[in-house]
Amino acid sequence: MLTVEHFLQLAPFKKFQLVAGANGLDNKITGINILDNPDASDWLSAGELLITSGYFFSKNTEIQKQFIQRFKEINCSAICIKPHIYLKGIPQSMRDLADELALPIIEIPYGVAFSKIMNIVMAEISGRMDERNQASLDIHSQFFEISLHGGGMKKIAAELANMVQNPVVLVDTDWSVTAVSDHKQPLIQETIKTIEHTFTFPLQTFNDLPTNFERIQKPITRSLFFADKEYPCVIMPVYFDTIHYGFILVYQIERPLTDLDYVALENGSMAFALEQMRLFEIERTENRIRRDFFDQLLSGQIKDLDTLAAYDTAIDPLLNYTVLILSIQTFGIQTDSLMKKKQAEDRLMKSLLSSLTSYTANRFPHLHLFSRKNQLVMLLGTDPNSSTLKTHNELSDTAERIRMYLEQQGPSEREIFCTIGSTLPILELSQSFEEAKKVIQLLEDDSKEEKIYFFNDFYFDSFLVDSISKDQGQKFYTHYLNTLLTYDKENKTSFTPTLKAYLAHHLNIATTSRALFIHRNTLLYRIEKIKGLLPVELDQEKNTFALQLALKLYDLYH
């Protein structure tokens, strides 16, 4: 293995001068890299010998110290600096810190090309690759065995922690913890937060992560602070074939990572991805089985309790049930690819279904749920002996608690609203399902200022839509309202909503003016104008219903 000391003994480098960090001469060199860009430090690897002119830190002492510290955190083997162009000598502050950290700083003589150093070092390293390759194969075999026998996330975390001799935390794409190698480790207990029944690593701990860094497919190092001490934390994105599975976090508490540790990290990330795929497939299969059962139930194919009892389900046939549909529309997923957007939406729905299943398990024992496209469908069991008002309040409270919980999950902006069908015996649940879907159709073009909608409040609307075609409805409201609508459009007036409010308040001037927040005389003026624009007498009782129906059809079909 090539060490810093051996490097300095090579004939071409006899004139290179070690100026600091003599205690790091045993550091192993496993690669070489040129660094003259301050943003490139995330691309460095453990064991690399760094070559630089010092351009990007030549004029700032604090930046010099920051980069020496960062190079140590990454576990670079040494820094070779050519100081004659930008640095007029290597500052004493850099030397002192390098001595403290045992990170060798080597001064490159003037006139030596970077390419020459790289070629010689690579030639030396290539002659020592057999040993490293065998170690890599051993690491790969160990993780392959874990994946082959379904060891699970805990086994992956434990095996990786044993290889790198540091604590390991595995998190999913939302930074929810899936496995920890050592729950009793104080730094892990300090950094991981508990939300409900899930453990989460707070992403805001790192405030300088690169944009879309999960796609870098390379470890980066950031700092954690605990008990007035700084600890490097290696973050490995798990990203394969355009799919992001999560992250591996290695807390460098015991020792810095070596190049073989990074090989272990890469193999561990592959095992992590395979295990996530296995879990996703199990979850997808279970959800499909559950969805198939509910599809049969909600389509009315299960017609008797004996057939229902044949299914392995926790549904209680003695309860009444209500269908609640949570529709989820996301706005925060930005991508030019429809496929990637669909993948992101699918992952979001899986995540929401999983978290909601955990949330509702103990809180709502008679609630059953599954997902379909961008909806979460729930069946809530209630006591058939309860009053209509009590059942309504229970449904409303449950829907609001679940909706609020979902709005707090994840960073994406989203709109969530809930539609609720009738409460019926279990074998009549297909009607409740159709009613909840009907409300979604009726709300399709609305702004959805409210968030919970009961079918009972839309029964009349549903009857009209089912009984009157769109063409007939348009003809009807045009007959009664065309002149009024045209006048509003051409003159930018609001006589149509005034008429709607006037009819809703039973032609009462006082209550209508208060509802519209206008003066009584203003309302009287508008009513007189409206009367002149309508084809029928407004004050006749037989016409008020026709006008209300025309306004309702206008809202439905306009």
Side-chain angles (χ1 to χ4, degrees), residues 72-357:
K72 179 62 178 179
E73 291 174 355
I74 297 170
N75 199 20
C76 295
S77 59
I79 310 167
C80 293
I81 303 176
K82 185 186 288 187
H84 312 287
I85 302 175
Y86 302 107
L87 283 169
K88 307 306 179 184
I90 298 174
Q92 188 60 46
S93 59
M94 287 182 64
R95 300 184 188 213
D96 293 342
L97 183 56
D99 282 332
E100 179 184 337
L101 299 175
L103 178 63
I105 294 181
I106 299 167
E107 183 175 329
I108 302 173
Y110 184 78
V112 177
F114 287 177
S115 59
K116 179 180 179 181
I117 303 173
M118 293 188 70
N119 290 336
I120 295 172
V121 171
M122 291 305 297
E124 287 289 325
I125 293 174
S126 64
R128 295 171 169 83
M129 288 299 290
D130 289 344
E131 181 182 344
R132 184 179 184 275
N133 289 340
Q134 183 57 52
S136 298
L137 286 174
D138 292 341
I139 291 170
H140 175 78
S141 296
Q142 292 179 62
F143 279 112
F144 180 75
E145 285 293 316
I146 294 174
S147 299
L148 188 64
H149 295 97
M153 291 296 186
K154 290 183 178 179
K155 181 65 174 177
I156 293 171
E159 190 66 27
L160 182 58
N162 182 57
M163 290 179 182
V164 302
Q165 298 178 33
N166 279 293
V168 169
V169 176
L170 308 183
V171 299
D172 63 16
T173 54
D174 294 322
W175 292 81
S176 294
V177 176
T178 60
V180 175
S181 64
D182 183 4
H183 281 283
K184 296 181 180 180
Q185 162 50 239
L187 182 55
I188 289 180
Q189 291 182 343
E190 175 67 20
T191 52
I192 292 178
K193 306 301 179 185
T194 304
I195 301 176
E196 297 292 340
H197 298 290
T198 62
F199 296 96
T200 302
F201 184 94
L203 181 57
Q204 60 270 24
T205 302
F206 306 121
N207 55 16
D208 60 342
L209 294 174
T211 304
N212 296 325
F213 78 101
E214 68 274 5
R215 300 184 184 180
I216 293 177
Q217 302 182 54
K218 181 191 177 303
I220 62 174
T221 303
R222 291 297 183 266
S223 295
L224 294 171
F225 295 90
F226 175 65
D228 298 325
K229 191 173 180 181
E230 182 177 359
Y231 297 92
C233 178
V234 174
I235 311 168
M236 177 69 177
V238 182
Y239 189 90
F240 293 100
D241 194 25
T242 74
I243 299 177
H244 179 214
Y245 294 97
F247 301 92
I248 298 175
L249 309 178
V250 180
Y251 294 48
Q252 293 189 67
I253 297 172
E254 303 300 332
R255 63 169 177 80
L257 300 190
T258 66
D259 62 319
L260 276 179
D261 291 332
Y262 281 95
V263 172
L265 200 51
E266 290 176 5
N267 281 274
S269 68
M270 178 64 76
F272 180 111
L274 290 173
E275 180 63 16
Q276 283 285 62
M277 284 189 278
R278 188 181 73 86
L279 294 175
F280 286 161
E281 184 61 26
I282 291 173
E283 183 180 353
R284 188 180 70 84
T285 302
E286 290 177 346
N287 189 50
R288 186 178 67 246
I289 294 171
R290 186 166 57 248
R291 188 172 60 243
D292 288 346
F293 162 70
F294 285 125
D295 282 344
Q296 293 185 53
L297 178 64
L298 297 178
S299 63
Q301 296 180 48
I302 299 177
K303 300 183 181 299
D304 57 73
L305 294 180
D306 289 338
T307 304
L308 179 67
Y311 290 91
D312 183 17
T313 173
I315 286 180
D316 186 348
L318 299 179
L319 299 178
N320 282 342
Y321 280 87
T322 311
V323 173
L324 301 86
I325 300 178
L326 283 157
S327 294
I328 301 168
Q329 183 178 0
T330 56
F331 305 105
I333 300 174
Q334 302 293 332
T335 176
D336 295 331
S337 169
L338 291 177
M339 184 180 70
K340 289 182 179 179
K341 183 178 181 181
K342 180 65 168 58
Q343 290 175 341
E345 290 174 346
D346 287 346
R347 287 198 299 271
L348 172 64
M349 290 304 298
K350 289 177 182 177
S351 173
L352 291 179
L353 177 62
S354 177
S355 60
L356 186 59
T357 300

Side-chain angles (χ1 to χ4, degrees), residues 54-72:
Y55 166 73
F56 61 89
F57 56 68
S58 60
K59 297 180 180 179
N60 190 308
T61 302
E62 286 304 313
I63 291 179
Q64 292 167 4
K65 292 180 179 180
Q66 288 175 17
F67 274 96
I68 294 294
Q69 187 71 45
R70 175 61 63 87
F71 298 152
K72 179 62 178 179

Side-chain angles (χ1 to χ4, degrees), residues 32 42 82 86 263 299 367 380 398 415 453 466 545 549-550:
I32 187 165
D42 282 333
K82 185 186 288 187
Y86 302 107
V263 172
S299 63
L367 186 141
L380 180 63
T398 301
E415 178 183 67
Y453 302 89
D466 291 340
F545 176 74
L549 182 57

